[in-house]
Amino acid sequence: MKLLEDRILKDGNVLGENILKVDSFLTHQVDYELMQEIGKVFAEAYKNAGITKVVTIEASGIAPAIYVAQALDVPMIFAKKHKNITMTEGILTAEVYSFTKQVTSTVSIASKFLSENDTVLVVDDFLANGQAAKGLLEIISQAGAKVAGIGIVIEKSFQNGRKLLEDAGVAVTSLARIKAFEEGKVKFMEADA
Ligand code: G4P
C-alpha cells in the first residue's frame, strides 16, 4: 500500500537493530484518515470471504481494526490483555509470549462474542514473531470459528511471524513488508495489497 509505505518513510523512525517507531500515526497518535484507507484496502481484499467479525488485540491493533470493521460492516472484537471485573461469563484464553518483552501474558475474549457461525479476519498493527496472532488463532479455534486470513499493517519480513502463520495454514495479507533496516533506513519488499 503505497500511501502507507510513503508515510513510514516520512514519519517512521528506526530504533536500534529491528524496531520501527510509528507512534505519530499508528501506535500512539493515530491518523484516522490513514486508518480509514487501510480499512478500505483490507475490506476490498476480503470482501468475498464472508467475514462476520474482525478480531484484534489491544492496544495498537484496535485503531486499524475498527476501520476494517467499518468498511466490512461487521463488529470488531479486541482480545484483552488483562482480565476485567466485568468479564464474569465464559472466556476464551491463550498464552502469548513476547520475544521483544520476554514476558508471557494471557489474552482473552468473552466466548459470547465468537461462535462456530463466525468467519473471522484477524487484524494487527505489527507482525514480528507472530506470537500475538498465534494466540488469537488459538482463541478463535476454541470458539469453533473459521479464520479467513490475517491482515497486518506492518510486517517485519526478516522475523519469522509470517512463516509461523502460513505454516499454520492461514493466509497473511500485509500492507507494508519490511525486508530490512539498512543504516537506519527502511527497505521494503513487495506488499500483498
Ligand atoms: P509478535 O506478537 O509478532 O510475536 O511480536 P513481539 O512479541 O516481537 O512484539 C511485542 C510487541 O511489540 C507487540 O505489541 C508488537 O506489536 C510490538 N512490536 C513488534 N515489533 C515492533 C516494531 O518494530 N515497532 C513497534 N512500534 N512495535 C513493534 P504489544 O506490546 O503486544 O502491544 P501494544 O499494546 O503495543 O499494541
mmCIF file of all heavy atoms in Angstrom, residues 13 15 18-23 26-27 57-62 81 96-103 105 107 124-134 152 154 156 158-161 164-165 178 181, ligand 1:
data_model
loop_
_atom_site.group_PDB
_atom_site.id
_atom_site.type_symbol
_atom_site.label_atom_id
_atom_site.label_comp_id
_atom_site.label_asym_id
_atom_site.label_seq_id
_atom_site.Cartn_x
_atom_site.Cartn_y
_atom_site.Cartn_z
ATOM 1 N N ASN A 13 10.596 5.965 12.459
ATOM 2 C CA ASN A 13 11.976 6.056 12.928
ATOM 3 C C ASN A 13 12.479 4.674 13.300
ATOM 4 O O ASN A 13 11.797 3.957 14.044
ATOM 5 C CB ASN A 13 12.067 6.954 14.167
ATOM 6 C CG ASN A 13 11.805 8.396 13.819
ATOM 7 O OD1 ASN A 13 12.487 8.985 12.994
ATOM 8 N ND2 ASN A 13 10.781 8.970 14.426
ATOM 9 N N LEU A 15 14.635 2.275 15.350
ATOM 10 C CA LEU A 15 15.295 2.287 16.654
ATOM 11 C C LEU A 15 16.135 1.028 16.781
ATOM 12 O O LEU A 15 15.599 -0.083 16.678
ATOM 13 C CB LEU A 15 14.274 2.277 17.794
ATOM 14 C CG LEU A 15 13.320 3.461 17.940
ATOM 15 C CD1 LEU A 15 12.491 3.286 19.205
ATOM 16 C CD2 LEU A 15 14.093 4.773 18.006
ATOM 17 N N ASN A 18 16.115 -3.531 15.147
ATOM 18 C CA ASN A 18 14.934 -4.072 14.469
ATOM 19 C C ASN A 18 13.590 -3.504 14.917
ATOM 20 O O ASN A 18 12.571 -4.155 14.765
ATOM 21 C CB ASN A 18 14.921 -5.607 14.554
ATOM 22 C CG ASN A 18 14.815 -6.098 15.977
ATOM 23 O OD1 ASN A 18 14.670 -5.299 16.897
ATOM 24 N ND2 ASN A 18 14.861 -7.400 16.165
ATOM 25 N N ILE A 19 13.586 -2.306 15.439
ATOM 26 C CA ILE A 19 12.308 -1.718 15.857
ATOM 27 C C ILE A 19 12.004 -0.480 15.018
ATOM 28 O O ILE A 19 12.866 0.361 14.777
ATOM 29 C CB ILE A 19 12.341 -1.325 17.361
ATOM 30 C CG1 ILE A 19 12.522 -2.568 18.247
ATOM 31 C CG2 ILE A 19 11.080 -0.562 17.769
ATOM 32 C CD1 ILE A 19 11.356 -3.547 18.269
ATOM 33 N N LEU A 20 10.769 -0.416 14.564
ATOM 34 C CA LEU A 20 10.315 0.744 13.809
ATOM 35 C C LEU A 20 9.324 1.507 14.677
ATOM 36 O O LEU A 20 8.305 0.960 15.116
ATOM 37 C CB LEU A 20 9.608 0.286 12.523
ATOM 38 C CG LEU A 20 9.016 1.409 11.680
ATOM 39 C CD1 LEU A 20 10.119 2.260 11.059
ATOM 40 C CD2 LEU A 20 8.107 0.843 10.602
ATOM 41 N N LYS A 21 9.635 2.771 14.927
ATOM 42 C CA LYS A 21 8.737 3.588 15.741
ATOM 43 C C LYS A 21 7.775 4.333 14.816
ATOM 44 O O LYS A 21 8.198 5.080 13.938
ATOM 45 C CB LYS A 21 9.586 4.554 16.571
ATOM 46 C CG LYS A 21 8.789 5.270 17.628
ATOM 47 C CD LYS A 21 9.708 5.904 18.658
ATOM 48 C CE LYS A 21 8.875 6.852 19.491
ATOM 49 N NZ LYS A 21 9.383 7.084 20.801
ATOM 50 N N VAL A 22 6.500 4.109 15.017
ATOM 51 C CA VAL A 22 5.485 4.752 14.172
ATOM 52 C C VAL A 22 4.407 5.374 15.066
ATOM 53 O O VAL A 22 3.217 5.291 14.778
ATOM 54 C CB VAL A 22 4.857 3.750 13.168
ATOM 55 C CG1 VAL A 22 5.808 3.436 12.027
ATOM 56 C CG2 VAL A 22 4.430 2.461 13.863
ATOM 57 N N ASP A 23 4.871 5.969 16.150
ATOM 58 C CA ASP A 23 3.912 6.464 17.139
ATOM 59 C C ASP A 23 3.216 7.762 16.730
ATOM 60 O O ASP A 23 2.278 8.189 17.385
ATOM 61 C CB ASP A 23 4.570 6.611 18.514
ATOM 62 C CG ASP A 23 5.687 7.635 18.538
ATOM 63 O OD1 ASP A 23 6.124 8.070 17.444
ATOM 64 O OD2 ASP A 23 6.133 7.993 19.642
ATOM 65 N N LEU A 26 0.325 5.594 14.098
ATOM 66 C CA LEU A 26 -0.284 4.268 14.266
ATOM 67 C C LEU A 26 -0.354 3.774 15.709
ATOM 68 O O LEU A 26 -1.413 3.342 16.151
ATOM 69 C CB LEU A 26 0.489 3.257 13.388
ATOM 70 C CG LEU A 26 0.058 1.792 13.419
ATOM 71 C CD1 LEU A 26 -1.396 1.624 12.987
ATOM 72 C CD2 LEU A 26 0.954 0.945 12.506
ATOM 73 N N THR A 27 0.749 3.816 16.432
ATOM 74 C CA THR A 27 0.770 3.122 17.730
ATOM 75 C C THR A 27 0.537 4.010 18.953
ATOM 76 O O THR A 27 0.503 3.505 20.086
ATOM 77 C CB THR A 27 2.110 2.375 17.922
ATOM 78 O OG1 THR A 27 3.169 3.336 17.869
ATOM 79 C CG2 THR A 27 2.323 1.326 16.843
ATOM 80 N N ILE A 57 -6.026 -7.403 18.904
ATOM 81 C CA ILE A 57 -5.563 -7.473 20.296
ATOM 82 C C ILE A 57 -5.210 -6.058 20.729
ATOM 83 O O ILE A 57 -4.668 -5.293 19.940
ATOM 84 C CB ILE A 57 -4.381 -8.469 20.410
ATOM 85 C CG1 ILE A 57 -3.891 -8.633 21.841
ATOM 86 C CG2 ILE A 57 -3.245 -8.098 19.496
ATOM 87 C CD1 ILE A 57 -2.982 -9.853 22.044
ATOM 88 N N GLU A 58 -5.545 -5.747 21.996
ATOM 89 C CA GLU A 58 -5.224 -4.400 22.449
ATOM 90 C C GLU A 58 -3.708 -4.240 22.589
ATOM 91 O O GLU A 58 -3.020 -5.229 22.795
ATOM 92 C CB GLU A 58 -5.940 -4.083 23.763
ATOM 93 C CG GLU A 58 -5.533 -4.967 24.927
ATOM 94 C CD GLU A 58 -6.224 -4.555 26.221
ATOM 95 O OE1 GLU A 58 -6.840 -3.483 26.292
ATOM 96 O OE2 GLU A 58 -6.138 -5.323 27.183
ATOM 97 N N ALA A 59 -3.146 -3.069 22.466
ATOM 98 C CA ALA A 59 -3.805 -1.804 22.271
ATOM 99 C C ALA A 59 -3.753 -1.336 20.806
ATOM 100 O O ALA A 59 -4.744 -0.886 20.251
ATOM 101 C CB ALA A 59 -3.134 -0.757 23.155
ATOM 102 N N SER A 60 -2.580 -1.468 20.192
ATOM 103 C CA SER A 60 -2.396 -0.778 18.908
ATOM 104 C C SER A 60 -3.084 -1.440 17.720
ATOM 105 O O SER A 60 -3.139 -0.863 16.645
ATOM 106 C CB SER A 60 -0.909 -0.619 18.600
ATOM 107 O OG SER A 60 -0.265 -0.045 19.694
ATOM 108 N N GLY A 61 -3.608 -2.641 17.897
ATOM 109 C CA GLY A 61 -4.373 -3.255 16.807
ATOM 110 C C GLY A 61 -5.748 -2.628 16.650
ATOM 111 O O GLY A 61 -6.378 -2.730 15.581
ATOM 112 N N ILE A 62 -6.211 -1.990 17.717
ATOM 113 C CA ILE A 62 -7.606 -1.517 17.732
ATOM 114 C C ILE A 62 -7.874 -0.463 16.654
ATOM 115 O O ILE A 62 -8.910 -0.513 15.983
ATOM 116 C CB ILE A 62 -7.985 -0.988 19.136
ATOM 117 C CG1 ILE A 62 -7.958 -2.137 20.148
ATOM 118 C CG2 ILE A 62 -9.366 -0.334 19.114
ATOM 119 C CD1 ILE A 62 -8.210 -1.709 21.592
ATOM 120 N N LYS A 81 -5.769 -7.962 27.364
ATOM 121 C CA LYS A 81 -4.549 -8.497 27.979
ATOM 122 C C LYS A 81 -4.680 -8.603 29.497
ATOM 123 O O LYS A 81 -3.860 -9.224 30.144
ATOM 124 C CB LYS A 81 -3.367 -7.588 27.636
ATOM 125 C CG LYS A 81 -2.946 -7.711 26.184
ATOM 126 C CD LYS A 81 -1.773 -6.821 25.905
ATOM 127 C CE LYS A 81 -1.353 -6.914 24.470
ATOM 128 N NZ LYS A 81 -0.516 -5.778 24.065
ATOM 129 N N VAL A 96 0.314 -15.729 25.369
ATOM 130 C CA VAL A 96 1.104 -15.094 24.311
ATOM 131 C C VAL A 96 2.469 -14.729 24.866
ATOM 132 O O VAL A 96 2.573 -13.972 25.835
ATOM 133 C CB VAL A 96 0.390 -13.828 23.785
ATOM 134 C CG1 VAL A 96 1.288 -13.068 22.826
ATOM 135 C CG2 VAL A 96 -0.911 -14.208 23.090
ATOM 136 N N TYR A 97 3.498 -15.286 24.222
ATOM 137 C CA TYR A 97 4.855 -14.953 24.656
ATOM 138 C C TYR A 97 5.419 -13.848 23.768
ATOM 139 O O TYR A 97 5.373 -13.949 22.539
ATOM 140 C CB TYR A 97 5.767 -16.189 24.577
ATOM 141 C CG TYR A 97 7.202 -15.864 24.951
ATOM 142 C CD1 TYR A 97 7.535 -15.570 26.266
ATOM 143 C CD2 TYR A 97 8.199 -15.785 23.983
ATOM 144 C CE1 TYR A 97 8.828 -15.222 26.615
ATOM 145 C CE2 TYR A 97 9.498 -15.441 24.321
ATOM 146 C CZ TYR A 97 9.805 -15.161 25.645
ATOM 147 O OH TYR A 97 11.090 -14.800 25.986
ATOM 148 N N SER A 98 5.924 -12.800 24.376
ATOM 149 C CA SER A 98 6.541 -11.725 23.598
ATOM 150 C C SER A 98 8.056 -11.874 23.635
ATOM 151 O O SER A 98 8.662 -11.779 24.709
ATOM 152 C CB SER A 98 6.147 -10.366 24.164
ATOM 153 O OG SER A 98 6.985 -9.381 23.585
ATOM 154 N N PHE A 99 8.651 -12.125 22.462
ATOM 155 C CA PHE A 99 10.109 -12.222 22.386
ATOM 156 C C PHE A 99 10.742 -10.869 22.694
ATOM 157 O O PHE A 99 11.805 -10.781 23.288
ATOM 158 C CB PHE A 99 10.547 -12.675 20.986
ATOM 159 C CG PHE A 99 10.253 -14.116 20.706
ATOM 160 C CD1 PHE A 99 9.147 -14.480 19.972
ATOM 161 C CD2 PHE A 99 11.088 -15.117 21.198
ATOM 162 C CE1 PHE A 99 8.868 -15.813 19.705
ATOM 163 C CE2 PHE A 99 10.821 -16.452 20.950
ATOM 164 C CZ PHE A 99 9.703 -16.804 20.209
ATOM 165 N N THR A 100 10.045 -9.809 22.265
ATOM 166 C CA THR A 100 10.569 -8.463 22.475
ATOM 167 C C THR A 100 10.631 -8.129 23.968
ATOM 168 O O THR A 100 11.627 -7.622 24.464
ATOM 169 C CB THR A 100 9.661 -7.437 21.757
ATOM 170 O OG1 THR A 100 9.463 -7.890 20.426
ATOM 171 C CG2 THR A 100 10.272 -6.067 21.722
ATOM 172 N N LYS A 101 9.531 -8.458 24.667
ATOM 173 C CA LYS A 101 9.469 -8.087 26.088
ATOM 174 C C LYS A 101 9.863 -9.227 27.019
ATOM 175 O O LYS A 101 9.998 -9.018 28.221
ATOM 176 C CB LYS A 101 8.054 -7.630 26.427
ATOM 177 C CG LYS A 101 7.636 -6.391 25.632
ATOM 178 C CD LYS A 101 6.213 -5.974 25.958
ATOM 179 C CE LYS A 101 5.824 -4.736 25.174
ATOM 180 N NZ LYS A 101 4.401 -4.490 25.195
ATOM 181 N N GLN A 102 9.978 -10.440 26.451
ATOM 182 C CA GLN A 102 10.306 -11.634 27.225
ATOM 183 C C GLN A 102 9.356 -11.858 28.390
ATOM 184 O O GLN A 102 9.773 -12.156 29.513
ATOM 185 C CB GLN A 102 11.758 -11.580 27.703
ATOM 186 C CG GLN A 102 12.722 -11.504 26.525
ATOM 187 C CD GLN A 102 14.145 -11.834 26.914
ATOM 188 O OE1 GLN A 102 14.606 -11.500 27.999
ATOM 189 N NE2 GLN A 102 14.856 -12.489 26.030
ATOM 190 N N VAL A 103 8.081 -11.670 28.122
ATOM 191 C CA VAL A 103 7.061 -11.984 29.126
ATOM 192 C C VAL A 103 5.928 -12.746 28.440
ATOM 193 O O VAL A 103 5.689 -12.581 27.245
ATOM 194 C CB VAL A 103 6.452 -10.729 29.800
ATOM 195 C CG1 VAL A 103 7.431 -10.043 30.729
ATOM 196 C CG2 VAL A 103 5.889 -9.759 28.783
ATOM 197 N N SER A 105 1.879 -13.341 28.487
ATOM 198 C CA SER A 105 0.645 -12.786 29.037
ATOM 199 C C SER A 105 -0.535 -13.607 28.559
ATOM 200 O O SER A 105 -0.477 -14.270 27.522
ATOM 201 C CB SER A 105 0.493 -11.309 28.663
ATOM 202 O OG SER A 105 0.625 -11.158 27.275
ATOM 203 N N VAL A 107 -4.186 -13.646 27.112
ATOM 204 C CA VAL A 107 -5.125 -12.765 26.409
ATOM 205 C C VAL A 107 -6.477 -13.463 26.343
ATOM 206 O O VAL A 107 -6.548 -14.686 26.290
ATOM 207 C CB VAL A 107 -4.617 -12.366 25.001
ATOM 208 C CG1 VAL A 107 -3.277 -11.661 25.094
ATOM 209 C CG2 VAL A 107 -4.517 -13.558 24.075
ATOM 210 N N ASP A 124 -3.860 -6.885 12.803
ATOM 211 C CA ASP A 124 -2.941 -6.363 13.832
ATOM 212 C C ASP A 124 -2.023 -5.319 13.219
ATOM 213 O O ASP A 124 -1.863 -5.259 12.001
ATOM 214 C CB ASP A 124 -2.148 -7.499 14.491
ATOM 215 C CG ASP A 124 -1.764 -7.165 15.941
ATOM 216 O OD1 ASP A 124 -2.041 -6.041 16.416
ATOM 217 O OD2 ASP A 124 -1.172 -8.031 16.607
ATOM 218 N N ASP A 125 -1.467 -4.491 14.086
ATOM 219 C CA ASP A 125 -0.606 -3.399 13.595
ATOM 220 C C ASP A 125 0.746 -3.921 13.116
ATOM 221 O O ASP A 125 1.203 -3.562 12.042
ATOM 222 C CB ASP A 125 -0.448 -2.294 14.653
ATOM 223 C CG ASP A 125 0.123 -2.784 15.974
ATOM 224 O OD1 ASP A 125 -0.017 -3.996 16.282
ATOM 225 O OD2 ASP A 125 0.708 -1.982 16.709
ATOM 226 N N PHE A 126 1.381 -4.788 13.916
ATOM 227 C CA PHE A 126 2.708 -5.297 13.567
ATOM 228 C C PHE A 126 2.700 -6.815 13.518
ATOM 229 O O PHE A 126 2.032 -7.467 14.320
ATOM 230 C CB PHE A 126 3.746 -4.880 14.619
ATOM 231 C CG PHE A 126 4.410 -3.566 14.305
ATOM 232 C CD1 PHE A 126 3.907 -2.380 14.811
ATOM 233 C CD2 PHE A 126 5.524 -3.523 13.484
ATOM 234 C CE1 PHE A 126 4.508 -1.161 14.503
ATOM 235 C CE2 PHE A 126 6.138 -2.324 13.178
ATOM 236 C CZ PHE A 126 5.630 -1.136 13.681
ATOM 237 N N LEU A 127 3.474 -7.360 12.603
ATOM 238 C CA LEU A 127 3.778 -8.795 12.640
ATOM 239 C C LEU A 127 5.288 -8.911 12.771
ATOM 240 O O LEU A 127 6.030 -8.480 11.885
ATOM 241 C CB LEU A 127 3.292 -9.495 11.363
ATOM 242 C CG LEU A 127 3.625 -10.986 11.260
ATOM 243 C CD1 LEU A 127 3.030 -11.782 12.415
ATOM 244 C CD2 LEU A 127 3.138 -11.560 9.932
ATOM 245 N N ALA A 128 5.714 -9.449 13.911
ATOM 246 C CA ALA A 128 7.142 -9.640 14.149
ATOM 247 C C ALA A 128 7.399 -11.146 14.243
ATOM 248 O O ALA A 128 7.669 -11.809 13.248
ATOM 249 C CB ALA A 128 7.564 -8.897 15.409
ATOM 250 N N ASN A 129 7.214 -11.685 15.443
ATOM 251 C CA ASN A 129 7.403 -13.134 15.621
ATOM 252 C C ASN A 129 6.095 -13.913 15.525
ATOM 253 O O ASN A 129 6.096 -15.142 15.603
ATOM 254 C CB ASN A 129 8.083 -13.393 16.966
ATOM 255 C CG ASN A 129 9.477 -12.800 16.984
ATOM 256 O OD1 ASN A 129 10.338 -13.220 16.221
ATOM 257 N ND2 ASN A 129 9.681 -11.791 17.812
ATOM 258 N N GLY A 130 5.007 -13.203 15.428
ATOM 259 C CA GLY A 130 3.718 -13.853 15.182
ATOM 260 C C GLY A 130 3.034 -14.439 16.404
ATOM 261 O O GLY A 130 2.015 -15.114 16.283
ATOM 262 N N GLN A 131 3.570 -14.156 17.578
ATOM 263 C CA GLN A 131 3.005 -14.791 18.779
ATOM 264 C C GLN A 131 1.621 -14.240 19.130
ATOM 265 O O GLN A 131 0.747 -14.985 19.575
ATOM 266 C CB GLN A 131 3.964 -14.618 19.970
ATOM 267 C CG GLN A 131 5.305 -15.293 19.757
ATOM 268 C CD GLN A 131 5.170 -16.792 19.527
ATOM 269 O OE1 GLN A 131 4.573 -17.497 20.338
ATOM 270 N NE2 GLN A 131 5.700 -17.277 18.418
ATOM 271 N N ALA A 132 1.428 -12.947 18.933
ATOM 272 C CA ALA A 132 0.117 -12.364 19.245
ATOM 273 C C ALA A 132 -0.940 -12.943 18.303
ATOM 274 O O ALA A 132 -2.013 -13.383 18.744
ATOM 275 C CB ALA A 132 0.182 -10.844 19.110
ATOM 276 N N ALA A 133 -0.615 -12.998 17.016
ATOM 277 C CA ALA A 133 -1.570 -13.541 16.035
ATOM 278 C C ALA A 133 -1.838 -15.013 16.316
ATOM 279 O O ALA A 133 -2.983 -15.477 16.231
ATOM 280 C CB ALA A 133 -1.018 -13.344 14.623
ATOM 281 N N LYS A 134 -0.805 -15.750 16.703
ATOM 282 C CA LYS A 134 -0.976 -17.178 17.011
ATOM 283 C C LYS A 134 -1.942 -17.351 18.190
ATOM 284 O O LYS A 134 -2.810 -18.223 18.191
ATOM 285 C CB LYS A 134 0.398 -17.779 17.347
ATOM 286 C CG LYS A 134 0.376 -19.257 17.565
ATOM 287 C CD LYS A 134 1.816 -19.789 17.641
ATOM 288 C CE LYS A 134 1.898 -21.037 18.481
ATOM 289 N NZ LYS A 134 2.523 -20.853 19.793
ATOM 290 N N ILE A 152 -2.254 -7.580 8.238
ATOM 291 C CA ILE A 152 -1.201 -6.928 9.024
ATOM 292 C C ILE A 152 -0.895 -5.573 8.404
ATOM 293 O O ILE A 152 -0.756 -5.460 7.178
ATOM 294 C CB ILE A 152 0.076 -7.802 9.012
ATOM 295 C CG1 ILE A 152 -0.182 -9.152 9.703
ATOM 296 C CG2 ILE A 152 1.264 -7.064 9.614
ATOM 297 C CD1 ILE A 152 -0.435 -9.090 11.195
ATOM 298 N N ILE A 154 1.924 -3.537 9.286
ATOM 299 C CA ILE A 154 3.368 -3.513 9.005
ATOM 300 C C ILE A 154 3.987 -4.855 9.388
ATOM 301 O O ILE A 154 3.974 -5.242 10.560
ATOM 302 C CB ILE A 154 4.082 -2.380 9.785
ATOM 303 C CG1 ILE A 154 3.451 -1.024 9.459
ATOM 304 C CG2 ILE A 154 5.587 -2.384 9.467
ATOM 305 C CD1 ILE A 154 4.025 0.145 10.258
ATOM 306 N N LYS A 156 7.350 -7.136 9.613
ATOM 307 C CA LYS A 156 8.810 -7.142 9.578
ATOM 308 C C LYS A 156 9.196 -8.510 9.031
ATOM 309 O O LYS A 156 9.259 -9.509 9.754
ATOM 310 C CB LYS A 156 9.371 -6.883 10.975
ATOM 311 C CG LYS A 156 9.006 -5.459 11.447
ATOM 312 C CD LYS A 156 9.791 -5.028 12.657
ATOM 313 C CE LYS A 156 9.409 -5.835 13.840
ATOM 314 N NZ LYS A 156 10.138 -5.416 15.071
ATOM 315 N N PHE A 158 11.756 -9.849 7.999
ATOM 316 C CA PHE A 158 13.011 -10.513 8.393
ATOM 317 C C PHE A 158 12.834 -11.281 9.702
ATOM 318 O O PHE A 158 13.761 -11.942 10.170
ATOM 319 C CB PHE A 158 14.150 -9.483 8.500
ATOM 320 C CG PHE A 158 13.827 -8.314 9.398
ATOM 321 C CD1 PHE A 158 14.041 -8.393 10.759
ATOM 322 C CD2 PHE A 158 13.274 -7.150 8.866
ATOM 323 C CE1 PHE A 158 13.727 -7.327 11.585
ATOM 324 C CE2 PHE A 158 12.957 -6.079 9.688
ATOM 325 C CZ PHE A 158 13.174 -6.165 11.052
ATOM 326 N N GLN A 159 11.655 -11.185 10.324
ATOM 327 C CA GLN A 159 11.375 -12.002 11.504
ATOM 328 C C GLN A 159 10.445 -13.148 11.068
ATOM 329 O O GLN A 159 9.951 -13.157 9.942
ATOM 330 C CB GLN A 159 10.792 -11.131 12.622
ATOM 331 C CG GLN A 159 11.851 -10.139 13.117
ATOM 332 C CD GLN A 159 11.413 -9.291 14.303
ATOM 333 O OE1 GLN A 159 10.932 -8.186 14.147
ATOM 334 N NE2 GLN A 159 11.596 -9.814 15.485
ATOM 335 N N ASN A 160 10.212 -14.107 11.946
ATOM 336 C CA ASN A 160 9.602 -15.338 11.426
ATOM 337 C C ASN A 160 8.086 -15.464 11.584
ATOM 338 O O ASN A 160 7.527 -16.532 11.411
ATOM 339 C CB ASN A 160 10.325 -16.554 12.013
ATOM 340 C CG ASN A 160 10.222 -16.569 13.524
ATOM 341 O OD1 ASN A 160 9.517 -15.723 14.092
ATOM 342 N ND2 ASN A 160 10.903 -17.493 14.177
ATOM 343 N N GLY A 161 7.406 -14.341 11.888
ATOM 344 C CA GLY A 161 5.962 -14.414 12.122
ATOM 345 C C GLY A 161 5.163 -14.913 10.936
ATOM 346 O O GLY A 161 4.275 -15.759 11.073
ATOM 347 N N LEU A 164 5.427 -18.663 10.505
ATOM 348 C CA LEU A 164 4.670 -19.375 11.548
ATOM 349 C C LEU A 164 3.182 -19.439 11.192
ATOM 350 O O LEU A 164 2.547 -20.484 11.307
ATOM 351 C CB LEU A 164 4.848 -18.625 12.877
ATOM 352 C CG LEU A 164 4.151 -19.199 14.087
ATOM 353 C CD1 LEU A 164 5.069 -20.190 14.793
ATOM 354 C CD2 LEU A 164 3.763 -18.104 15.070
ATOM 355 N N LEU A 165 2.640 -18.316 10.718
ATOM 356 C CA LEU A 165 1.202 -18.255 10.427
ATOM 357 C C LEU A 165 0.876 -19.021 9.143
ATOM 358 O O LEU A 165 -0.125 -19.734 9.085
ATOM 359 C CB LEU A 165 0.750 -16.794 10.324
ATOM 360 C CG LEU A 165 0.997 -15.978 11.594
ATOM 361 C CD1 LEU A 165 0.632 -14.520 11.369
ATOM 362 C CD2 LEU A 165 0.217 -16.543 12.770
ATOM 363 N N ILE A 178 8.521 -5.058 5.422
ATOM 364 C CA ILE A 178 9.883 -4.539 5.583
ATOM 365 C C ILE A 178 10.883 -5.684 5.460
ATOM 366 O O ILE A 178 10.841 -6.653 6.213
ATOM 367 C CB ILE A 178 10.030 -3.829 6.940
ATOM 368 C CG1 ILE A 178 9.065 -2.638 6.985
ATOM 369 C CG2 ILE A 178 11.466 -3.375 7.154
ATOM 370 C CD1 ILE A 178 9.024 -1.925 8.309
ATOM 371 N N PHE A 181 16.273 -3.179 7.713
ATOM 372 C CA PHE A 181 16.638 -1.814 8.064
ATOM 373 C C PHE A 181 18.113 -1.682 7.687
ATOM 374 O O PHE A 181 18.950 -2.430 8.201
ATOM 375 C CB PHE A 181 16.463 -1.551 9.559
ATOM 376 C CG PHE A 181 15.033 -1.666 10.028
ATOM 377 C CD1 PHE A 181 14.706 -2.443 11.125
ATOM 378 C CD2 PHE A 181 14.015 -0.973 9.382
ATOM 379 C CE1 PHE A 181 13.387 -2.547 11.560
ATOM 380 C CE2 PHE A 181 12.692 -1.065 9.818
ATOM 381 C CZ PHE A 181 12.380 -1.856 10.904
HETATM 382 P P1 G4P B 1 4.760 -10.825 17.912
HETATM 383 O O1 G4P B 1 3.412 -10.656 18.501
HETATM 384 O O2 G4P B 1 4.755 -10.675 16.413
HETATM 385 O O3 G4P B 1 5.424 -12.096 18.362
HETATM 386 O O4 G4P B 1 5.604 -9.636 18.416
HETATM 387 P P2 G4P B 1 6.692 -9.378 19.547
HETATM 388 O O5 G4P B 1 6.429 -10.249 20.718
HETATM 389 O O6 G4P B 1 8.011 -9.398 18.900
HETATM 390 O O7 G4P B 1 6.251 -7.888 19.875
HETATM 391 C C1 G4P B 1 5.659 -7.473 21.082
HETATM 392 C C2 G4P B 1 5.003 -6.156 20.934
HETATM 393 O O8 G4P B 1 5.839 -5.240 20.219
HETATM 394 C C3 G4P B 1 3.704 -6.152 20.173
HETATM 395 O O9 G4P B 1 2.919 -5.138 20.717
HETATM 396 C C4 G4P B 1 4.119 -5.782 18.750
HETATM 397 O O10 G4P B 1 3.049 -5.213 18.036
HETATM 398 C C5 G4P B 1 5.170 -4.775 19.042
HETATM 399 N N1 G4P B 1 6.183 -4.638 18.005
HETATM 400 C C6 G4P B 1 6.953 -5.604 17.453
HETATM 401 N N2 G4P B 1 7.820 -5.062 16.594
HETATM 402 C C7 G4P B 1 7.592 -3.734 16.603
HETATM 403 C C8 G4P B 1 8.188 -2.642 15.923
HETATM 404 O O11 G4P B 1 9.129 -2.765 15.134
HETATM 405 N N3 G4P B 1 7.673 -1.405 16.199
HETATM 406 C C9 G4P B 1 6.648 -1.209 17.056
HETATM 407 N N4 G4P B 1 6.213 0.053 17.231
HETATM 408 N N5 G4P B 1 6.079 -2.214 17.739
HETATM 409 C C10 G4P B 1 6.550 -3.465 17.494
HETATM 410 P P3 G4P B 1 2.267 -5.277 22.154
HETATM 411 O O12 G4P B 1 3.211 -4.921 23.224
HETATM 412 O O13 G4P B 1 1.637 -6.640 22.266
HETATM 413 O O14 G4P B 1 1.077 -4.355 22.139
HETATM 414 P P4 G4P B 1 0.671 -2.869 22.055
HETATM 415 O O15 G4P B 1 -0.078 -2.651 23.296
HETATM 416 O O16 G4P B 1 1.887 -2.031 21.866
HETATM 417 O O17 G4P B 1 -0.191 -2.908 20.852
#
